Amino acid sequence: MAPALTEIVGIITDAVRGASPYLLTGYALLGLYILLQLFYVFIYLVAPTPRDILRSETTYKHIEDNGSVSDAKPLPYWKSAFDQREKSLREKGNLSSLSKSIEDAEVFISLVVPAFNEENRLSIMLREAVEYLQKEYGHETPELKANGSVRRRHTDVNGSPNGHTQPGNDDTRQEPTGWEVLIVSDGSKDKTVDTALEFARSLGTESTGLIRVVSLVENRGKGGAVTHGMRHVRGKYALFADADGASRFEDLGKLVREIKNVEDKDGRGVAVGSRAHLVGSEEVVKRSFLRNLLMHSFHLLLWILTPRATAAIRDTQCGFKLFSRPALPYIIPYMHSESWIFDVEMLMLAEAAAIPVAEVPIAWHEVQGSKLNVLWDSLGMAWGLFILRAAWATGVYRRT
């Protein structure tokens, strides 16, 4: 075998020596083209594709006024009106006039909570969240109003501590009031759904209708659960927050104020809760050497692989992010990643659409019961980041 291989190498070497520079250049370009095509096929085969949404997953349950669990009800989908306009304009061959405006908000703030087997931690997080939402933003259930309208608050440009603008005499804008919580059970096998509904029942008749529970038949991953919930929010602003309650919920006011400061003329903006200021704190220092090493390695990969604005964000993975309603059509319909790396895709999509992003320091603490396997999930995130970047760079993922 060795002599035969040596002979083949010799033949190739002689052919290369006798070839013209132009022919060699052609061979090199052809080889590069073939490699690029093979790379595209590889990325196409391994890039994640979200599974289809099941019909039952487009419904929710809540607690009725009499304390019973409601029948499954259809979730509102803010993209429905946009899809109808797109279909009509496509039939007319006039997509140039299509805008990404969506239906008006019905409440001021929507909270999306992805939950996978969270029966032990969910109610603690929800209690903190609802107490803050109730105190700072009030509530009113839009469907209960006799004329079907939504109560509006006339506002000026002066922000209050919670980020909600206050009434003024020279009002030119109006804001909806109120809040809602969408708990997305991500194929949970425990009593997560029962826990969520029982918590809603404990609020009494005044607030129970504002807690909506969505059940995914099969586990999609945290990113898939967040994306699913974001499709069905009714708020002017939409926040997703982890079910473990690691983030201090009252910092939501900071995010609302900052997102209003950076919003563009179309009202698009994103505010990212950040733990970057805690890197030198005792809580982080006490982590294992391996965990801190993996954290810094992941930040280096982000700096290398992601676009400039995304790479500049010091904490992409914090589960406390706020989106303005006009920003959602530029991000949510184009999401592919359903794993831990989904946050990065959201930020990359925001950057691609020139949506302003603010990074806001928040309080955070370690919570027991994390489902994150530090080593394997870190390696999975690194792999997912590479595939994500390659899929968008090669055109495997597109805004279509």
Side-chain angles (χ1 to χ4, degrees):
M1 179 65 72
L5 179 60
T6 302
E7 184 178 350
I8 293 173
V9 172
I11 293 173
I12 294 175
T13 302
D14 292 339
V16 169
R17 288 174 179 172
S20 69
Y22 298 105
L23 184 60
L24 290 176
T25 301
Y27 283 146
L29 292 175
L30 177 61
L32 179 61
Y33 175 78
I34 292 173
L35 286 175
L36 289 175
Q37 292 301 311
L38 290 174
F39 181 71
Y40 178 88
V41 171
F42 170 74
I43 296 299
Y44 180 83
L45 292 175
V46 300
T49 300
R51 68 168 173 82
D52 292 336
I53 299 172
L54 304 178
R55 186 170 183 177
S56 65
E57 296 174 338
T58 62
T59 63
Y60 73 95
K61 292 184 178 181
H62 69 96
I63 298 299
E64 302 281 10
D65 288 343
N66 60 10
S68 64
V69 178
S70 71
D71 294 331
K73 298 182 179 181
L75 283 164
Y77 187 18
W78 49 257
K79 194 168 175 283
S80 297
F82 172 76
D83 288 341
Q84 292 174 0
R85 290 196 302 272
E86 181 182 31
K87 180 180 179 181
S88 175
L89 291 173
R90 191 179 297 277
E91 291 173 351
K92 298 176 182 178
N94 186 26
L95 281 176
S96 59
S97 62
L98 180 65
S99 68
K100 290 187 181 294
S101 60
I102 61 177
E103 297 170 346
D104 291 339
E106 297 181 23
V107 294
F108 182 74
I109 200 91
S110 294
L111 168 63
V112 174
V113 183
F116 175 63
N117 293 342
E118 290 287 359
E119 64 176 343
N120 294 323
R121 302 191 295 182
L122 183 60
S123 59
I124 300 173
M125 178 269 177
L126 287 176
R127 188 161 303 282
E128 180 188 359
V130 168
E131 284 179 359
Y132 180 81
L133 293 170
Q134 180 76 1
K135 179 181 69 172
E136 300 294 343
Y137 301 109
H139 73 274
E140 181 169 335
T141 308
E143 60 266 29
L144 295 182
K145 291 179 70 66
N147 60 4
S149 64
V150 181
R151 179 166 61 95
R152 306 282 181 173
R153 177 181 294 173
H154 294 277
T155 61
D156 62 14
V157 296
N158 299 314
S160 66
N162 63 15
H164 202 303
T165 48
Q166 297 294 331
N169 297 324
D170 300 324
D171 308 17
T172 59
R173 298 183 300 159
Q174 292 182 328
E175 284 188 338
T177 61
W179 53 270
E180 66 170 347
V181 178
L182 277 76
I183 301 157
V184 183
S185 174
D186 190 19
S188 299
K189 303 302 181 184
D190 64 354
K191 297 181 179 180
T192 294
V193 171
D194 294 337
T195 300
L197 290 170
E198 185 57 37
F199 172 80
R201 183 180 286 112
S202 72
L203 297 177
T205 59
E206 188 176 6
S207 302
T208 50
L210 301 176
I211 309 289
R212 298 182 171 193
V213 182
V214 182
S215 298
L216 303 185
V217 177
E218 300 175 2
N219 179 265
R220 301 187 72 110
K222 179 184 173 183
V226 168
T227 301
H228 188 81
M230 286 289 184
R231 290 190 183 101
H232 303 291
V233 294
R234 298 178 294 162
K236 179 178 180 179
Y237 294 99
L239 172 79
F240 77 80
D242 290 344
D244 60 6
S247 302
R248 186 176 65 184
F249 203 84
E250 65 184 50
D251 284 338
L252 171 59
K254 294 182 182 178
L255 268 65
V256 175
R257 290 197 304 274
E258 289 304 316
I259 201 172
K260 289 187 173 186
N261 287 336
V262 302
E263 284 175 351
D264 62 17
K265 62 181 179 60
D266 297 317
R268 304 181 309 162
V270 177
V272 178
S274 176
R275 304 158 296 182
H277 62 293
L278 299 173
V279 169
S281 66
E282 182 181 0
E283 192 154 8
V284 174
V285 171
K286 282 184 176 179
R287 288 177 171 179
S288 68
F289 171 79
L290 175 62
R291 184 162 185 174
N292 282 322
L293 175 64
L294 291 171
M295 176 185 71
H296 290 297
S297 300
F298 181 71
H299 290 166
L300 177 61
L301 281 176
L302 280 171
W303 183 76
I304 295 172
L305 293 177
T306 58
R308 183 174 179 180
T310 302
I313 295 173
R314 298 173 63 198
D315 183 6
T316 60
Q317 302 307 113
C318 181
F320 203 68
K321 292 183 175 66
L322 183 70
F323 300 80
S324 69
R325 192 173 185 81
L328 295 178
Y330 295 85
I331 298 173
I332 300 304
Y334 309 111
M335 288 291 297
H336 295 83
S337 178
E338 298 191 320
S339 63
W340 297 102
I341 205 67
F342 80 99
D343 303 75
V344 177
E345 186 172 26
M346 283 183 159
L347 296 172
M348 286 172 54
L349 287 167
E351 180 176 357
I355 297 174
V357 178
E359 187 169 9
V360 185
I362 63 169
W364 178 88
H365 65 280
E366 197 87 52
V367 177
Q368 297 299 317
S370 172
K371 300 175 182 65
L372 182 71
N373 182 299
V374 175
L375 178 59
W376 290 111
D377 285 328
S378 294
L379 293 174
M381 288 169 67
W383 171 254
L385 177 59
F386 170 74
I387 296 299
L388 176 66
R389 190 69 175 105
W392 279 106
T394 59
V396 172
Y397 290 165
R398 299 181 183 181
R399 287 176 173 272
T400 56

